[in-house]
Amino acid sequence: MESRVFQMIEKEKDRQERNIELIASENFVSENVLRAMGSCLTNKYSEGYPAVREDGCGRKGRYYGGCQFIDEIEEYCCTKWREVFNTDYHVNVQPHCGSQANMAAYLSVLEPGDTILAMSLNNGGHLTHGSPVNFSGRLFDMKFYDVDKNGYIDYDDIGNKIREFKPALVLAGASAYSREIEFDRIRDMIDNSDLNKKPYFMVDMAHIAGLVAAGYHQTPFGKADIITTTTHKTLRGPRGGMIFCTKELAGKVDGAIFPGTQGGPLEHVIAAKAVAAEEACTPEFKEYIGDVVKNCKAMCDEFIRLGYEVVTGGTDNHLFLLDFSNTHPKISGKAVQDELDKHYITLNKNCVPNEKRSPVQTSGVRIGTAAETTKRKTAEDFVMIARKIDSIISNMA
Ligand SMILES: Cc1ncc(COP(=O)(O)O)c(C=O)c1O
């Protein structure tokens, strides 16, 4: 009997094909990534890790029999991701998602109650960077650094707050920040701080990982102690997470994932992550990310030309934020999101610096070019989409 679910999936497939997808955290995976995810590997339990890890960070092995092929896939996945980022960091590919990667990363080196210094949520940080309704804000003593009056990360504020709060961990990375993050500068601040116990430096590169892989963003490798990422945004892999760390922290990070916060790994997703890593090693992927960045600048420039206010006045990466506070004070980010939905354009409302509205309404939207660039849209196409969005917004005002 054919399940009713497949009819529902068809409808979503049609929506994905028809709509213009501008959600900065989404992408379209390859047929091979889908194939690996829909494979028989979903049937296998494999709690634990391969007994001898290819990077020499050995673990106790698996808790179940029959894992010889699973081990091969997971080891291969680790090897390929280290190749993507040209690093000898240890990697754990088991996190089910970015949020779990972050939870395990914190718990690998911190105790509940410890202080974390992170980017303020209204200015681009993620829920798992200390929201009071998230485990991070409930378990840890969260302090936040801000952006300056132009919307750029305020690095002086980071330095001051390291001295003031003596955090156990400093976190860089964001969900809605359009400029390059200067990891080397934060590393220097930590190294040059006169704290007896230097904070760990963690980078959540979930959004920009594809740019890091392709050389379009400063790398956090060699600077951060722990690096988390999702695999489904600019990396164009399956929905999931990963943690990289220095070799010294390998045992702590692995233990924080299993048995710390997860049970059996999703080996079908790990196989799909390995396929995505193979793809990210290719020259085509580099070219793709180059196009993502070029298209983003072209679209952003067009909005500026049309009179819109862009947070920080531009973009260095795959996304930017429109701020309606001054140009369209009567309309909210939510109203724009809903109206665009009716015209088959998908994006999300977003808080802007000095936000006056609630996170449910917001005064801005976030726009990303990774997904539509996968659909082979060009810079000219993105300029046309900007004009179409402008005409829809103009009719709302
Ligand atoms: C910076 C950042 N970290 C972590 C996450 C969480 O990832 P997930 O939705 O896979 O839990 C996100 C998701 O958007 C993100 O933007």
Side-chain angles (χ1 to χ4, degrees), residues 25 97-100 102 126 128-129 173-175 204 206-207 230 232-233 239-240:
S25 46
C97 64
S99 299
Q100 288 207 258
N102 284 347
H126 184 253
T128 55
H129 299 178
S175 297
D204 176 350
H207 261 271
T230 54
H232 47 270
K233 298 183 173 80
R239 197 153 283 282

Side-chain angles (χ1 to χ4, degrees), residues 239-250:
R239 197 153 283 282
M242 293 194 288
I243 309 178
F244 294 85
C245 63
T246 57
K247 290 249 167 63
E248 301 75 64
L249 296 178

Side-chain angles (χ1 to χ4, degrees), residues 45-102:
Y45 242 115
S46 56
E47 283 177 342
Y49 295 98
V52 181
R53 308 210 58 168
E54 41 74 61
D55 63 358
C57 299
R59 295 282 301 170
K60 291 199 187 78
R62 304 284 188 181
Y63 285 67
Y64 291 81
C67 287
Q68 60 271 40
F69 305 118
I70 293 292
D71 280 358
E72 200 180 319
I73 291 165
E74 193 170 322
E75 288 291 271
Y76 177 65
C77 186
C78 294
T79 305
K80 288 308 284 185
W81 278 112
R82 294 187 326 162
E83 189 181 326
V84 170
F85 292 106
N86 191 22
T87 181
D88 63 356
Y89 273 40
H90 173 70
V91 58
N92 187 312
V93 294
Q94 291 191 1
H96 299 333
C97 64
S99 299
Q100 288 207 258
N102 284 347

Side-chain angles (χ1 to χ4, degrees), residues 152-362:
Y152 282 75
I153 289 174
D154 185 344
Y155 291 91
D156 291 338
D157 193 37
I158 299 181
N160 292 337
K161 284 180 176 158
I162 289 176
R163 278 186 292 281
E164 183 182 352
F165 297 119
K166 304 179 177 48
L169 185 144
V170 177
L171 176 62
S175 297
Y177 184 67
S178 63
R179 294 300 186 173
E180 174 129 358
I181 304 177
E182 298 174 51
F183 302 128
D184 46 359
R185 216 164 145 188
I186 301 175
R187 175 82 259 170
D188 283 349
M189 282 177 189
I190 291 172
D191 288 346
N192 297 330
S193 69
D194 53 8
L195 303 184
N196 288 337
K197 191 165 180 334
K198 303 273 191 243
Y200 288 101
F201 181 26
M202 171 172 156
V203 168
D204 176 350
M205 63 171 184
H207 261 271
I208 52 168
L211 281 74
V212 170
Y216 283 84
H217 191 288
Q218 189 183 119
T219 182
F221 290 92
K223 294 156 203 158
D225 303 294
I226 305 181
I227 301 164
T228 57
T229 185
T230 54
T231 43
H232 47 270
K233 298 183 173 80
T234 49
L235 285 177
R236 209 161 56 177
R239 197 153 283 282
M242 293 194 288
I243 309 178
F244 294 85
C245 63
T246 57
K247 290 249 167 63
E248 301 75 64
L249 296 178
K252 286 181 196 256
V253 165
D254 284 352
I257 283 289
F258 178 82
T261 53
Q262 289 189 179
L266 311 177
E267 291 295 346
H268 55 305
V269 178
I270 289 174
K273 285 173 183 169
V275 174
E278 287 178 334
E279 293 172 0
C281 285
T282 61
E284 290 75 26
F285 184 78
K286 252 195 177 80
E287 214 175 286
Y288 158 69
I289 293 291
D291 288 342
V292 169
V293 173
K294 184 177 75 183
N295 294 342
C296 198
K297 278 196 190 358
M299 192 181 195
C300 184
D301 286 350
E302 183 62 11
F303 273 113
I304 292 169
R305 198 189 64 76
L306 290 164
Y308 285 79
E309 220 169 83
V310 171
V311 175
T312 75
T315 176
D316 298 328
N317 58 26
H318 64 298
L319 66 82
F320 59 92
L321 298 166
L322 294 183
D323 182 348
F324 304 127
S325 314
N326 297 318
T327 56
H328 304 76
K330 291 207 187 102
I331 61 173
S332 66
K334 174 157 185 354
V336 171
Q337 175 187 305
D338 291 347
E339 188 60 25
L340 291 178
D341 241 343
K342 293 181 199 153
H343 292 81
Y344 306 121
I345 297 174
T346 318
L347 48 61
N348 63 281
K349 62 185 185 241
N350 216 96
C351 287
V352 293
N354 304 311
E355 180 62 71
K356 302 279 184 317
R357 289 189 170 91
S358 76
V360 180
Q361 288 299 323
T362 79

